[in-house]
Amino acid sequence: MPAVSKGDGMRGLAVFISDIRNCKSKEAEIKRINKELANIRSKFKGDKALDGYSKKKYVCKLLFIFLLGHDIDFGHMEAVNLLSSNKYTEKQIGYLFISVLVNSNSDLIRLINNAIKNDLSSRNPTFMNLALHCIANVGSREMAEAFAADVPRILVAGDTMDSVKQSAALCLLRLNRTSPDLIPMGEWTSRVVHLLNDQHLGVVTAATSLIITLAQKNPDDFKTSVSLAVARLSRIVTSASTDLQDYTYYFVAAPWLSVKLLRLLQCYPPPEDAAIRGRLTECLETILNKAQEPPKSKKVQHSNAKNAVLFEAISLIIHHDSEPTLLVRACNQLGQFLQHRETNLRYLALESMCTLASSEFSHEAVKTHIETVINALKTERDVSVRQRAVDLLYAMCDRSNAKQIVAEMLSYLETADYSIREEIVLKVAILAEKYAVEYTWYVDTILNLIRIAGDYVSEEVWYRVIQIVINRDDVQGYAAKTVFEALQAPACHENLVKVGGYILGEFGNLIAGDPRSSPLIQFNLLHSKFHLCSVPTRALLLSAYVKFINLFPEVKGTIQEVLRSDSQLRNADVELQQRAVEYLRLSCIASTDILATVLEEMPPFPERESSILAKLKKKKGSGTVSDVEDTRKERNTNLGVSSVFQVTSSPSSDLLGLGNSSAVNSGSPPAASNAASLLVDVFSESLPVAPLGTASAPIIEENFSRCFSTSMLDRYFWPSHISGRLLRGSPNISKNAFQTRSRLTALSAFRFVCKNNGVLYENQLLQIGLKSEFRQNLGRMYVFYGNKTSTQFLNFSASVVCHEPLNLNVHTKTADPVVDGGAQLQQILNIECLSDFVEAPVLNINFRYGGSVQNIAVRLPVTLNKFFQPTEMMSQDFFQRWKQLSDPQQEVQKIFKAKHSMDTEITKAKIIGFGTALLDGVDPNPSNFVGAGVIHTKTIQVGCLLRLEPNTQAQMYRLTLRTSRGSVSQRLCDLLSEQF
Amino acid sequence: TIRFILIQNRAGKTRLAKWYMQFDDDEKQKLIEEVHAVVTVRDAKHTNFVEFRNFKIIYRRYAGLYFCICVDVTDNNLAYLEGIHNFVEVLNEYFHNVCELDLVFNFYKVYTVVDEMFLAGEIRETSQTKVLKQLLMLQSLE
């Protein structure tokens, strides 16, 4: 038995532990434990009062049993009793039991807190510390409530012993972490800062931890700690190695405290005061200098302690990012470590250099170490070190070294640890795209990725290469040629088949002139892979085949033969079967023109944040990657470096996803309206809201298959050039919204009088789409804010102002403050019409884009006619009511010139869109239009009759409105007369 | 910030578990097993650091015992690595050439040593002299 336990009193405990250790089996152990539990239970229940020693011994045994992994359901009371013992050893066991077996039994908590309170006020430092340690270990809310006042008081009291101060500081830190709301800042705050000056370095160490935690939450309250921390650090750094006696560790002066002080300084920007700043710079230089001095000891403890301080100093230098000399020195120092024989140092140097790479001052210096890092990638034995090397290569990559880095990563990929392959694939894909100078290199790189590590190439990666090829005319021929060659390999990865199928289906014609890659050869090559592929890939190949039918009429027969075979037409998989049936049928019945339209080349994809980057961020946790990414992105734009693939978004990009389901509608109908556009408009009203809502994630495969299968009919009816033009038609662009507001308002307000959905507003940054529905006096409007850029909108807010709050009420849900690049935000407005009104509400949008604040004000198309309920009535009723409304106040009439062609069907559609019923056969003159409806408001309902008389010869209209309220007649007349 | 401290032997037996974060008992058991799995497969050519969930483990092996400290990823690796060594030297002094059995038989004293040196997940006292003086004083109390 070990020496210490012999002299100690608890012999029974030692015997019990020995017994347990001697048990040969788990069963024997359990048996022994049960015997002991029975024994202890009987002692606790026995008539004889147990003395403190026995109680301590049994509680300690229970604790041991618990730590072996067995449940303990008694003994808590005895443990609590020990807390009030006057003997340290008994108290200690009591507190230990409580700390380890935290139990929120409310009765006990009260007793425990009582005991703690007594010990805290005992003025016995040993007891006070036991109590403080217990609070710090348990850290429960109940304890925070009970001792929120005591702990700070003890911490700053003049007569508190040093060791108690240390415990009190960390106890307060724990309570602040677990229940910050219960620990208000107070008078003690400023005195805590001054503990940085304390004589006792243990107190300073504990206090620094506390101040770091507090300063992170309230930096302003602890600003004064900066100068004190610099002073303290300076004294430590310049001290002779023996000055600090107890706190010198292997010839390094107070290493842990130095690290803490350097961390505290990282809560703040560089000190503004020149003197303090100078002193800090001196400290940092001294630390860097010491790294170059010969070691005072060969022990690893010495170098570790010294380097702990050094790495923290480098962190601070990087954090300040303001002293180019220090940054470059730090980089050189880390460069030395890259070749150190200690693996730990190589690892930490790689890690630290990664952050250094993102500083503009040291980026170039970091790049000089590229060969060493590549070597690390090849030779390090510890996979986590190689991982850091990959991270660093990624961080130091720019245009100048991208080819080398990507090549090295690719060759490393062949032998890389499986655990990090996917991440390397993502990184290679991102770098290849970001720094591509020639598209051929980009395409080669991605195909190599698929060849080397096909299983680790996620969908995002191959989707992305297709997005890029589709969007770039000049890559397409090369891409087709390259995939064709890659597919020649007898065994190729399924991802390559996918990419190959897609690209040849779109651009196979570009290489079909070469007899070595004639249409038939292309087809046979793809089809030779077909049977080895999974269902989704086969589906994609079928789509490629039908595209071939359009591209190459000469292989139509061959492909129809394939589609017609039982293995396709009767395939057990419903998707494959459907595609085969549809494609075969399509190829048989459709004319060449229709085929060409349905199967035309995919339109360019809207530019969004790279899906791969998003994936990497997700994988690494957004915090870590995005920092590096963001700063690097900024630097790239600063230097004017841009990849060949940074395509600016084309004006036709359908941010709201409107383009794909072409039928959803748009701005005002083209000036020369015709039946077709009317149809579009009418259809748009009846379409579900889904296309607007589902816009954000572009998934190629979906687009691809949708184009062929589900939306084939859409495409058939709404070829993209029509919907495209509609979309682009008269967007109400206004950069300076306030100056042009009235004009803009008039335009958009009247534009939406007869319809509920469409694009309300659009400029280079933002597109606002609407979808609304009204019923009686209530309405709901879905507003879609589409970020057309690839940058986040920050502080985004959209609020509605009603100029007639008594008549119209709009309730807005607060919008999300951040709109990601390419993303779409939805806001719901609930509208209530209280009484008749004229002024439409205004939607005010504010957000930060880049450095500037954008303000946009748009009038919402909420007009009185939205609250119409149509009323059907017979001729007789109509004229009877018409006569009843004969008061001159009630009638408003307007004669005006036609602004659009006077098409009967369009006029009818507009009157229905206005909200009234269109009454046929009421007016004796069949070329006139008559309508009736009721305006619903919360307070009143207003019946309304209207008559529109066109004079085609004069190109004039006469519009008459009669309602029971003059103001309503006037407003409705104003609104409707603008529509023709 | 320290999330937990574990002392385990090569067989995976826990000799000390000190938690500075709330975990339920099942979770603690899982963490203990995971730490053992990631640490014991590493050899002397490896670093003393392992990424672990959202944290990292700084560990050092002394004979058959692994001393592991789980800290935040941004924490200073070497400071905690030497924190472990400082702790081990104190144990060694206190138990006069510490061995695994000392930690078993005196488990309740080990907790006291830990609380003297680490509290609330932070370093409390780094001076070996001061810690040992305090421990001897406590030892003398009855």
Side-chain angles (χ1 to χ4, degrees):
Chain A
M1 221 172 289
V4 185
S5 58
K6 269 184 194 157
D8 198 273
M10 288 196 280
R11 198 175 150 68
L13 175 70
V15 170
F16 174 58
I17 294 176
S18 292
D19 283 358
I20 295 289
R21 288 181 55 78
N22 290 333
C23 286
K24 295 275 182 290
S25 67
K26 195 80 196 159
E27 289 70 33
E29 182 185 308
I30 290 173
K31 215 175 139 198
R32 178 67 185 91
I33 284 171
N34 285 335
K35 187 181 151 203
E36 192 63 39
L37 286 173
N39 172 40
I40 298 172
R41 213 179 249 120
S42 76
K43 296 283 187 206
F44 283 170
K45 278 193 185 151
D47 308 329
K48 258 202 315 185
L50 287 176
D51 58 15
Y53 168 81
S54 307
K55 228 183 267 174
K56 171 181 85 170
K57 185 178 70 184
Y58 293 130
V59 168
C60 204
K61 281 182 179 176
L62 285 178
L63 185 57
F64 182 79
I65 293 169
F66 175 80
L67 290 172
L68 283 177
H70 302 269
D71 283 339
I72 293 296
D73 54 7
F74 69 102
H76 299 77
M77 203 55 211
E78 285 74 11
V80 173
N81 284 340
L82 286 175
L83 298 183
S84 36
S85 164
N86 281 326
K87 292 185 172 155
Y88 164 76
T89 52
E90 290 169 16
K91 221 185 243 300
Q92 189 250 329
I93 297 296
Y95 272 121
L96 181 58
F97 186 94
I98 302 295
S99 303
V100 174
L101 282 96
V102 203
N103 196 326
S104 48
N105 183 324
S106 55
D107 301 342
L108 279 180
I109 286 286
R110 209 169 33 84
L111 291 173
I112 294 166
N113 282 357
N114 238 340
I116 292 177
K117 199 134 214 158
N118 287 335
D119 283 335
L120 286 182
S121 51
S122 69
R123 307 191 136 265
N124 174 334
T126 308
F127 291 178
M128 289 173 85
N129 268 348
L130 279 178
L132 288 167
H133 292 183
C134 180
I135 302 172
N137 283 324
V138 176
S140 68
R141 261 193 99 70
E142 290 87 350
M143 286 190 178
E145 267 164 20
F147 305 111
D150 296 308
V151 180
R153 187 179 42 75
I154 293 171
L155 175 60
V156 297
D159 57 350
T160 304
M161 300 264 296
D162 290 333
S163 80
V164 178
K165 271 190 201 163
Q166 284 172 278
S167 301
L170 295 175
C171 186
L172 188 57
L173 180 152
R174 173 72 198 253
L175 295 183
N176 188 282
R177 268 189 200 141
T178 48
S179 322
D181 52 311
L182 295 177
I183 312 292
M185 297 292 130
E187 193 225 340
W188 55 273
T189 330
S190 60
R191 304 181 60 180
V192 162
V193 174
H194 284 278
L195 290 176
L196 290 173
N197 275 334
D198 202 283
Q199 296 247 309
H200 190 289
L201 289 193
V203 172
V204 185
T205 307
T208 310
S209 294
L210 174 63
I211 295 167
I212 290 172
T213 307
L214 298 173
Q216 279 164 349
K217 289 178 186 162
N218 317 291
D220 288 344
D221 292 353
F222 294 89
K223 251 188 182 146
T224 48
S225 65
V226 171
S227 60
L228 294 176
V230 171
R232 190 93 226 191
L233 183 67
S234 170
R235 269 180 283 159
I236 296 172
V237 168
T238 55
S239 66
S241 57
T242 48
D243 283 2
L244 300 172
Q245 294 168 3
D246 292 358
Y247 289 89
T248 300
Y249 178 84
Y250 288 89
F251 306 102
V252 182
W256 292 281
L257 176 55
S258 306
V259 166
K260 284 279 170 201
L261 291 169
L262 288 162
R263 296 222 128 202
L264 172 57
L265 293 171
Q266 286 171 65
C267 300
Y268 292 94
E272 279 161 25
D273 183 315
I276 299 172
R277 198 176 166 143
R279 200 163 176 199
L280 177 57
T281 307
E282 264 172 40
C283 286
L284 296 170
E285 279 169 349
T286 311
I287 294 170
L288 286 166
N289 291 340
K290 280 188 179 172
Q292 297 300 325
E293 289 169 8
K296 296 198 173 72
S297 156
K298 286 217 165 71
K299 289 255 170 71
V300 70
Q301 284 76 21
H302 171 70
S303 75
N304 279 349
K306 199 162 106 175
N307 292 329
V309 180
L310 177 62
F311 276 108
E312 206 59 56
I314 291 175
S315 292
L316 179 62
I317 291 169
I318 296 171
H319 170 79
H320 284 172
D321 197 14
S322 60
E323 300 270 358
T325 357
L326 288 177
L327 282 159
V328 171
R329 279 195 71 183
C331 185
N332 294 340
Q333 181 59 55
L334 295 175
Q336 286 181 21
F337 285 155
L338 287 181
Q339 317 215 36
H340 202 280
R341 59 188 172 80
E342 284 262 337
T343 315
N344 284 344
L345 287 180
R346 296 197 302 276
Y347 175 91
L348 293 172
L350 288 167
E351 188 181 61
S352 188
M353 238 187 210
C354 236
T355 44
L356 211 48
S358 60
S359 162
E360 58 174 313
F361 300 117
S362 47
H363 182 73
E364 288 304 316
V366 170
K367 274 167 62 186
T368 60
H369 299 286
I370 184 166
E371 298 302 335
T372 318
V373 182
I374 287 170
N375 194 42
L377 195 59
K378 291 175 174 161
T379 57
E380 286 290 350
R381 278 198 49 209
D382 184 339
V383 60
S384 65
V385 184
R386 296 197 295 271
Q387 173 110 45
R388 289 291 94 85
V390 171
D391 290 347
L392 179 53
L393 285 178
Y394 180 75
M396 68 163 69
C397 191
D398 62 21
R399 273 245 172 145
S400 70
N401 55 20
K403 275 197 175 175
Q404 185 187 9
I405 285 175
V406 166
E408 290 297 344
M409 282 190 176
L410 273 175
S411 77
Y412 173 57
L413 193 53
E414 308 218 27
T415 54
D417 207 82
Y418 293 110
S419 61
I420 61 174
R421 281 197 182 186
E422 189 183 356
E423 198 184 315
I424 298 176
V425 166
L426 290 175
K427 287 186 163 156
V428 168
I430 290 165
L431 293 179
E433 178 183 337
K434 203 159 157 187
Y435 299 115
V437 186
E438 305 129 30
Y439 50 77
T440 52
W441 175 74
Y442 172 76
V443 172
D444 289 344
T445 303
I446 300 297
L447 291 181
N448 262 331
L449 267 186
I450 295 174
R451 188 178 54 75
I452 296 168
D455 285 344
Y456 297 90
V457 173
S458 57
E459 290 181 332
E460 287 84 354
V461 173
W462 74 263
Y463 286 177
R464 188 70 184 157
V465 69
I466 284 174
Q467 281 182 9
I468 284 173
V469 169
I470 299 261
N471 286 13
R472 298 286 308 184
D473 302 349
D474 43 356
V475 201
Q476 290 160 359
Y478 182 80
K481 183 166 163 282
T482 316
V483 293
F484 177 79
E485 281 163 9
L487 284 169
Q488 306 287 337
C492 45
H493 196 272
E494 189 162 332
N495 279 336
L496 181 65
V497 178
K498 289 178 183 164
V499 175
Y502 200 117
I503 287 181
L504 291 181
E506 292 293 315
F507 309 114
N509 54 325
L510 300 177
I511 56 168
D514 187 327
R516 285 167 299 176
S517 52
S518 71
L520 191 60
I521 294 178
Q522 284 186 44
F523 172 74
N524 285 337
L525 180 61
L526 281 181
H527 199 53
S528 70
K529 316 285 180 194
F530 187 89
H531 304 281
L532 298 169
C533 291
S534 63
V535 167
T537 307
R538 288 193 203 184
L540 188 151
L541 286 177
L542 287 180
S543 296
Y545 296 171
V546 76
K547 287 232 159 182
F548 269 22
I549 291 183
N550 174 47
L551 291 179
F552 314 120
E554 63 266 44
V555 294
K556 183 171 170 179
T558 316
I559 291 173
Q560 281 179 331
E561 203 56 45
V562 167
L563 292 176
R564 204 175 280 129
S565 74
D566 277 358
S567 61
Q568 309 300 349
L569 275 192
R570 300 188 182 190
N571 195 294
D573 184 88
V574 68
E575 178 68 30
L576 293 181
Q577 191 187 87
Q578 186 179 348
R579 287 194 189 206
V581 171
E582 282 183 11
Y583 296 163
L584 180 60
R585 192 79 194 126
L586 180 72
S587 71
C588 294
I589 60 166
S591 71
T592 331
D593 285 353
I594 288 174
L595 265 187
T597 313
V598 176
L599 300 172
E600 75 179 334
E601 210 175 277
M602 289 295 288
F605 288 86
E607 278 303 312
R608 297 192 168 90
E609 180 190 39
S610 158
S611 49
I612 317 175
L613 198 56
K615 167 122 182 175
L616 184 67
K617 282 183 186 169
K618 206 168 124 197
K619 210 173 145 55
K620 294 283 277 187
S622 56
T624 47
V625 179
S626 62
D627 286 348
V628 180
E629 273 310 310
D630 290 347
T631 41
R632 290 183 53 73
K633 217 181 276 167
E634 271 165 36
R635 192 179 52 245
N636 289 342
T637 45
N638 288 344
L639 298 177
V641 178
S642 66
S643 157
V644 287
F645 294 124
Q646 280 173 7
V647 191
T648 47
S649 71
S650 65
S652 64
S653 68
D654 54 337
L655 196 75
L656 296 175
L658 295 171
N660 257 328
S661 58
S662 359
V664 184
N665 92 97
S666 65
S668 54
S673 45
N674 52 36
S677 74
L678 175 72
L679 205 54
V680 172
D681 260 354
V682 170
F683 265 61
S684 72
E685 303 289 331
S686 60
L687 265 181
V689 75
L692 280 168
T694 53
S696 46
I699 297 174
I700 293 194
E701 168 61 11
E702 226 171 56
N703 277 346
F704 194 51
S705 57
R706 192 150 29 114
C707 157
F708 286 119
S709 156
T710 50
S711 75
M712 186 136 64
L713 288 179
D714 290 351
R715 282 234 157 183
Y716 182 81
F717 283 117
W718 316 117
S720 62
H721 60 275
I722 293 183
S723 57
R725 196 190 312 141
L726 277 178
L727 255 181
R728 274 169 260 165
S730 64
N732 293 298
I733 298 176
S734 163
K735 258 189 177 170
N736 194 334
F738 283 104
Q739 278 173 10
T740 51
R741 185 157 120 195
S742 55
R743 195 179 60 84
L744 170 89
T745 305
L747 255 178
S748 51
F750 286 120
R751 209 155 50 82
F752 280 86
V753 165
C754 296
K755 54 189 223 151
N756 288 330
N757 309 322
V759 176
L760 176 66
Y761 174 88
E762 183 163 12
N763 67 11
Q764 287 90 333
L765 308 176
L766 177 72
Q767 186 186 50
I768 304 174
L770 281 188
K771 168 92 191 162
S772 44
E773 54 201 29
F774 293 90
R775 196 176 184 157
Q776 309 259 348
N777 68 319
L778 300 177
R780 174 169 294 169
M781 191 170 268
Y782 301 85
V783 187
F784 300 90
Y785 304 95
N787 181 343
K788 293 168 65 172
T789 72
S790 53
T791 312
Q792 275 189 340
F793 293 167
L794 297 173
N795 303 342
F796 188 90
S797 78
S799 57
V800 175
V801 179
C802 288
H803 296 286
E804 296 173 70
L806 295 177
N807 299 336
L808 187 71
N809 191 356
V810 180
H811 180 75
T812 327
K813 293 219 173 96
T814 316
D816 211 38
V818 174
V819 188
D820 286 332
Q824 192 192 83
L825 183 76
Q826 178 188 311
Q827 190 181 31
I828 299 176
L829 311 180
N830 287 313
I831 302 158
E832 187 183 22
C833 179
L834 304 170
S835 181
D836 72 282
F837 65 95
V838 176
E839 284 275 301
V842 174
L843 179 64
N844 287 314
I845 298 144
N846 296 300
F847 58 90
R848 265 189 50 212
Y849 169 74
S852 63
V853 177
Q854 306 282 328
N855 296 307
I856 294 165
V858 195
R859 209 159 274 255
L860 283 173
V862 179
T863 45
L864 187 56
N865 66 299
K866 298 293 179 190
F867 303 96
F868 252 129
Q869 289 289 114
T871 316
E872 293 290 343
M873 56 178 77
M874 305 299 287
S875 173
Q876 205 185 343
D877 295 336
F878 183 86
F879 283 109
Q880 197 186 340
R881 293 192 192 186
W882 184 264
K883 277 178 202 144
Q884 282 167 0
L885 299 170
S886 55
D887 191 294
Q889 300 279 312
Q890 295 171 328
E891 185 190 276
V892 174
Q893 191 171 73
K894 195 168 177 180
I895 296 168
F896 55 93
K897 203 156 175 62
K899 291 196 282 286
H900 306 291
S901 87
M902 298 176 75
D903 184 292
T904 309
E905 291 308 311
I906 293 175
T907 307
K908 280 184 179 171
K910 283 182 176 169
I911 290 173
I912 292 169
F914 192 60
T916 60
L918 182 70
L919 305 178
D920 267 338
V922 169
D923 201 297
N925 181 346
S927 59
N928 291 349
F929 305 89
V930 169
V934 177
I935 298 276
H936 287 258
T937 75
K938 195 179 180 192
T939 48
I940 50 160
Q941 300 193 352
V942 184
C944 164
L945 305 173
L946 71 84
R947 187 186 201 195
L948 180 71
E949 300 156 89
N951 179 340
T952 38
Q953 242 176 348
Q955 290 283 302
M956 299 286 281
Y957 286 102
R958 179 164 72 182
L959 175 64
T960 313
L961 269 134
R962 285 190 177 187
T963 75
S964 50
R965 270 201 171 197
S967 58
V968 173
S969 304
Q970 186 62 55
R971 181 64 186 147
L972 291 177
C973 181
D974 290 345
L975 289 170
L976 190 58
S977 60
E978 287 293 326
Q979 300 301 313
F980 301 102
Chain B
T1 302
I2 305 173
R3 301 306 177 146
F4 57 81
I5 300 175
L6 284 182
I7 305 177
Q8 300 175 314
N9 67 11
R10 276 189 63 72
K13 285 239 186 220
T14 306
R15 294 311 180 197
L16 173 86
K18 181 80 190 174
W19 310 94
Y20 296 102
M21 227 178 132
Q22 292 292 338
F23 297 107
D24 62 35
D25 290 345
D26 291 347
E27 186 68 15
K28 285 178 183 172
Q29 195 48 43
K30 244 172 89 189
L31 287 166
I32 287 171
E33 286 162 18
E34 277 181 46
V35 170
H36 181 251
V38 297
V39 165
T40 44
V41 295
R42 299 170 65 85
D43 64 30
K45 286 268 186 304
H46 287 87
T47 62
N48 293 84
F49 327 124
V50 202
E51 286 179 17
F52 184 80
R53 301 196 182 181
N54 292 327
F55 306 103
K56 62 190 174 193
I57 304 279
I58 315 290
Y59 74 97
R60 193 131 151 193
R61 184 178 162 180
Y62 294 88
L65 285 182
Y66 289 91
F67 286 70
C68 308
I69 294 193
C70 176
V71 294
D72 294 347
V73 281
T74 53
D75 280 325
N76 188 309
N77 297 38
L78 293 176
Y80 283 105
L81 185 58
E82 284 318 303
I84 291 173
H85 189 75
N86 202 27
F87 174 56
V88 171
E89 289 193 351
V90 167
L91 289 177
N92 200 43
E93 196 66 30
Y94 183 52
F95 290 109
H96 312 294
N97 285 325
V98 69
C99 68
E100 188 175 346
L101 276 190
D102 292 319
L103 306 186
V104 176
F105 282 93
N106 299 289
F107 70 95
Y108 56 96
K109 290 184 179 163
V110 178
Y111 280 102
T112 305
V113 182
V114 172
D115 279 352
E116 285 298 321
M117 302 187 73
F118 306 97
L119 192 63
E122 300 291 340
I123 291 170
R124 178 181 176 275
E125 180 56 83
T126 61
S127 157
Q128 293 184 19
T129 321
K130 287 217 163 66
V131 173
L132 286 165
K133 220 171 111 192
Q134 176 74 3
L135 290 173
L136 289 179
M137 189 277 284
L138 294 176
Q139 182 87 352
S140 70
L141 296 174
E142 193 35 58

